[in-house]
């Protein structure tokens, strides 16, 4: 753990392993046919990993397009000098049309009012705005209803400031094999694409697969796949585990900023929800809290790794710190080889020796999914790229 260099101002950080990110990106790239483009989803600051360095690594590994959730995320990429195509995955407020055109960001489009405002904003600047038509084929989230897709295109297509660069949908159940609802959405999507083409409309790039779709449903890669969580080394479902090898990209670590042997019966943290049960227990403090993404509901239920051993987190997780306990007399697997000292590295997510705590383990303790765990750690911790 000594190879870890922590930031100067606070003893806690997110480590982003760009070599693992590159290998994961290549693993997905190899699954796509020659003519299929790879759109890397880097919304929410690349799921907490840092959008700009991740985008550069992904592009070097064969990605040609990028997707974000918000206009500000897209603008931040442009301001960082990233010039590759960027899709905003939903239709933003109509007031954003000028910003979209000025930064050459492609929005998802599904209402005529928005599309025409976008076309006007582009024409006023002597430009053509490229957009992707989003189609709701059954998830009931965003997009034009499938039966209205052709009519929407007919309403907006006259506009010389607009160009349809893509047509896409999103699956609600791509992570389950042999799923009837998935098949239904895919059929509907194929029908919409055929209807658009039958009406003489150019669909642009046709795309629908997210990570589980890309891995489990190669029959619908179409012109492009939108890969997100898998790039960061996380599986969207158990079904993808046997199908593709992925390496986790994010580790979360801190250093012990204080350690004591409290008296028997002393309480720990707000509410004193943990009481020191016997002698020779160390209680150590690490500067990572719920404002850093370490969810408070993990209090008194998670482990951390120190010196290759698992130790129990104790007391309520605070906004900026948590505490953990080491029983210096317990079995070797539950304590480091020596008592914990000021400055020791503590792993919250990642590997230490033979032990590993994954985002999946933390997600199941929190009753959520690995996606949310890594997004949360993007909040405040400084990122170190290795
Ligand atoms: C987030 C998102 C993706 C990526 O999903 P993963 O499961 O992370 O691969 C793809 N498409 C859309 C529309 C999304 O919102």
């Amino acid at each position: 753990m000594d190879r870890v260099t922590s930031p100067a101002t606070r003893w806690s950080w997110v480590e982003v392993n760009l070599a693992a990110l590159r290998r994961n990106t290549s693993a997905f790239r190899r699954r796509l046919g020659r003519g299929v483009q790879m759109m890397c989803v880097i919304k929410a600051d690349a799921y907490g990993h840092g959008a700009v360095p991740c985008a550069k690594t992904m592009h070097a590994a064969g990605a040609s397009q990028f997707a974000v959730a918000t206009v500000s995320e897209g603008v931040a990429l442009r301001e960082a000098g990233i010039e590759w195509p960027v899709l905003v995955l939903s239709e933003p407020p109509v007031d954003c049309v000028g910003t979209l055109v000025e930064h050459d960001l492609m929005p998802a489009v599904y209402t005529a009012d928005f599309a025409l405002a976008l076309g006007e904003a582009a024409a006023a600047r002597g430009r053509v705005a490229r957009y992707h038509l989003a189609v709701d084929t059954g998830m009931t989230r965003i997009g034009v209803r499938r039966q209205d897709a052709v009519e929407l295109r007919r309403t907006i297509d006259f506009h010389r400031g607009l160009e349809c660069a893509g047509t896409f949908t999103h699956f609600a159940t791509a992570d389950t094999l042999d799923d009837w609802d998935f098949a239904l959405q895919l059929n509907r999507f194929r029908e919409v694409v055929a209807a658009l083409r039958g009406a003489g409309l150019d669909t642009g790039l046709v795309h629908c697969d997210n990570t589980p779709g890309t891995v489990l449903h190669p029959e619908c890669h179409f012109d492009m796949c939108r890969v997100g969580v898998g790039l960061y080394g996380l599986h969207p479902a158990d079904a993808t585990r046997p199908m593709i090898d992925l390496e986790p990209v994010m580790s979360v670590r801190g250093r012990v900023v204080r350690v004591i042997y409290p008296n028997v019966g002393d309480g720990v943290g707000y509410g004193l929800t943990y009481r020191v049960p016997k002698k020779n227990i160390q209680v150590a403090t690490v500067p990572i809290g719920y404002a850093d993404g370490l969810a408070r509901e993990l209090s008194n239920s998670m482990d951390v790794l120190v010196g290759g051993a698992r130790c129990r987190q104790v007391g309520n997780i605070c906004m900026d710190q948590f505490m953990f306990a080491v029983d210096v007399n317990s079995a070797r697997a539950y304590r480091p080889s020596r008592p914990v000292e000021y400055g020791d590295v503590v792993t919250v997510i990642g590997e230490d020796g033979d032990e590993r705590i994954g985002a999946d383990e933390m997600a199941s303790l929190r009753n959520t999914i690995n996606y949310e765990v890594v997004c949360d750690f993007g909040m405040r911790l400084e990122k170190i790229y290795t």
Side-chain angles (χ1 to χ4, degrees):
M1 281 301 115
D2 285 345
R3 69 186 172 78
V4 176
T5 45
S6 48
T9 58
R10 191 177 181 221
W11 268 1
S12 47
W13 65 96
V14 165
E15 266 167 62
V16 180
N17 182 343
L18 292 176
L21 180 69
R22 177 173 47 74
R23 288 188 290 269
N24 293 336
T25 309
S26 305
F28 278 97
R29 182 58 262 180
R30 281 194 300 274
R31 295 190 151 245
L32 308 187
R34 277 175 151 278
V36 181
Q37 294 199 51
M38 183 160 161
M39 173 178 269
C40 290
V41 181
I42 52 171
K43 60 193 179 189
D45 206 21
Y47 296 46
H49 295 68
V52 171
C54 287
K56 290 179 178 164
T57 302
M58 292 158 174
H59 189 264
S64 52
Q65 308 229 2
F66 294 88
V68 295
T70 70
V71 176
S72 332
E73 288 172 356
V75 170
L77 292 174
R78 293 293 184 242
E79 285 175 348
I82 287 181
E83 294 181 348
W84 306 308
V86 173
L87 172 65
V88 179
L89 289 165
S90 59
E91 197 183 84
V94 73
D95 307 336
C96 297
V97 291
T99 309
L100 290 166
V101 172
E102 271 151 26
H103 291 89
D104 192 21
L105 302 168
M106 302 181 286
V109 158
Y110 35 90
T111 66
D113 287 350
F114 178 86
L116 295 175
L118 179 70
E120 289 299 300
R125 292 164 176 81
R127 306 261 282 272
V128 174
R130 292 155 58 79
Y131 70 91
H132 287 225
L133 181 73
V135 185
D136 182 0
T137 56
M139 183 160 162
T140 319
R141 182 172 73 173
I142 60 147
V144 60
R145 299 183 78 179
R146 64 187 195 282
Q147 58 271 39
D148 301 333
V150 170
E151 195 194 313
L152 172 60
R153 282 292 306 274
R154 282 193 170 131
T155 309
I156 63 177
D157 251 54
F158 74 91
H159 208 293
R160 66 194 165 86
L162 289 176
E163 180 188 326
C164 181
T167 301
F168 75 103
T169 194
H170 192 55
F171 294 117
T173 60
D175 54 350
T176 18
L177 281 165
D178 298 322
D179 184 75
W180 192 82
D181 291 299
F182 176 86
L184 191 64
Q185 278 198 272
L186 179 54
N187 267 335
R188 289 169 172 173
F189 185 54
R190 286 189 200 280
E191 281 166 18
V192 170
V193 170
L196 290 166
R197 287 179 176 156
L201 298 161
D202 183 358
T203 57
L205 297 173
V206 172
H207 53 107
C208 57
D209 270 338
N210 54 0
T211 297
T214 303
V215 176
L216 301 176
H217 303 283
E219 73 278 10
C220 51
H221 284 176
F222 294 104
D223 300 319
M224 184 160 76
C225 291
R226 303 187 305 270
V227 188
V229 80
L231 298 169
Y232 310 103
L234 303 174
H235 283 276
D238 283 337
T240 60
R241 284 179 206 282
M243 308 284 291
I244 186 166
D245 279 332
L246 300 172
E247 297 170 57
V249 173
M250 178 187 284
S251 304
V252 179
R253 304 189 210 270
R255 285 184 191 273
V256 170
V257 292
R258 189 238 196 188
V259 57
I260 61 165
Y261 287 90
N263 295 325
V264 175
D266 281 358
V268 175
Y270 289 117
L272 308 178
T273 55
Y274 172 84
R275 297 258 172 200
V276 175
K278 53 185 177 179
K279 278 175 119 171
N280 293 321
I281 300 266
Q282 291 187 294
V283 173
T285 305
V286 181
I288 303 177
Y290 58 79
D292 300 300
L294 188 66
R296 189 170 177 276
E297 72 249 36
L298 291 162
S299 297
N300 290 301
S301 72
M302 60 176 275
D303 291 340
V304 298
L305 305 179
V306 190
R310 274 183 182 259
C311 300
R312 299 295 293 172
Q313 186 281 321
V314 298
N316 277 334
I317 293 168
C318 309
M319 191 184 292
D320 314 304
Q321 284 116 345
F322 73 84
M323 280 68 84
F324 69 95
V326 177
D327 179 349
V328 299
N329 294 322
S330 73
R332 172 67 187 97
Y334 299 99
R335 63 172 170 80
S337 55
R338 56 160 177 75
V340 168
E341 291 170 12
Y342 177 82
D344 281 352
V345 172
V346 179
T347 299
V348 170
I349 295 278
E351 260 175 14
D352 183 358
D354 296 334
E355 285 282 355
R356 134 164 295 283
I357 294 174
D360 295 293
E361 174 178 334
M362 187 169 281
S364 80
L365 289 171
R366 284 181 57 182
N367 238 320
T368 183
I369 51 175
N370 49 19
Y371 294 70
E372 188 176 5
V373 169
V374 287
C375 283
D376 284 354
F377 284 118
M379 282 199 263
R380 184 171 72 178
L381 292 172
E382 200 169 310
K383 293 175 191 72
I384 293 180
Y385 294 90
T386 62

